[in-house]
Amino acid sequence: MNYTIESPVPEDAEQLLAYLKQVGAETDNLSFGPEGQPFSVSEERDFIAASQNSKTRIWYAAKENGKIIGICNIDALPRRFSHRGELGISVIRDYWNKGIGSALMEKALEAAKNSLRLEIITLEVKSDNYAAIHLYEKFGFEKFGTYKKFFKKGTEYFDADYMNLYMP
């Protein structure tokens, strides 16, 4: 498999919104479903442009032949929390278990340490998302708590685990 990992550019806006709809439809592990995110192409383009110049955001897209197949972002928190950041990651189902998530994590964590100078990365993961938990543990994340009824789909609730990575 031949793919690249690069920062999104404003020209990726339409494709990124389509990616979010696809990945949201493929899993119940995200905070959104097949509706994706509620942004217009123009709004997404502006968001990407702002992210390119951000001193508080790391954002990468994995692309195969120009098509987005995964994304990972880390956002630094403000003020007295500025030593911490929050991570989000997703990969299209056809590319699960092919090293895309690991490659995205490696690139994003390196940038978070070197560029954002973060000391702690935090995330929430659905407690039954064992594949994602395995990925996070592989990079040194540790569970520090469970949030009961964190997710709700229809009338069903799901717990989420909180995990931290203390940067070396």
Side-chain angles (χ1 to χ4, degrees):
M1 177 178 357
N2 191 12
Y3 63 92
T4 61
I5 296 180
E6 55 199 63
S7 295
V9 294
E11 294 77 22
D12 291 329
E14 188 171 355
Q15 184 187 167
L16 188 56
L17 290 171
Y19 164 86
L20 292 169
K21 286 181 179 181
Q22 179 179 350
V23 76
E26 292 177 339
T27 181
D28 289 332
N29 294 323
L30 300 173
S31 62
F32 57 90
E35 72 282 1
Q37 294 293 322
F39 305 115
S40 69
V41 173
S42 176
E43 289 170 324
E44 187 69 10
R45 193 175 295 120
D46 291 346
F47 179 75
I48 294 169
S51 294
Q52 287 180 306
N53 301 317
S54 175
K55 304 275 190 252
T56 61
R57 173 172 261 256
I58 298 293
W59 191 13
Y60 292 107
K63 294 181 179 181
E64 183 181 53
N65 299 319
K67 179 187 176 195
I68 296 173
I69 57 173
I71 59 172
C72 183
N73 66 281
I74 299 176
D75 291 300
L77 298 172
R79 299 173 297 280
R80 292 182 177 175
F81 304 112
S82 63
H83 65 294
R84 297 182 13 214
E86 296 179 339
L87 180 136
I89 187 170
S90 61
V91 176
I92 290 175
R93 183 180 294 268
D94 287 346
Y95 294 90
W96 288 3
N97 300 311
K98 297 184 190 252
I100 307 296
S102 291
L104 284 164
M105 288 279 289
E106 189 173 310
K107 182 100 171 169
L109 291 173
E110 179 181 326
K113 182 178 180 181
N114 296 330
S115 298
L116 300 180
R117 306 223 187 286
L118 295 178
E119 300 169 28
I120 303 169
I121 308 294
T122 301
L123 60 84
E124 302 93 25
V125 58
K126 201 165 155 221
S127 296
D128 63 357
N129 187 351
Y130 305 114
I133 292 168
H134 175 74
L135 173 68
Y136 304 141
E137 289 174 339
K138 174 178 153 181
F139 282 89
F141 281 84
E142 302 171 354
K143 177 181 170 179
F144 69 90
T146 300
Y147 191 125
K148 301 288 185 192
K149 297 184 177 183
F150 185 83
F151 288 87
K152 184 177 182 184
K153 185 174 179 194
T155 59
E156 191 173 3
Y157 292 97
F158 301 91
D159 298 343
D161 293 342
Y162 281 111
M163 299 182 82
N164 275 348
L165 171 65
Y166 297 91
M167 302 292 277

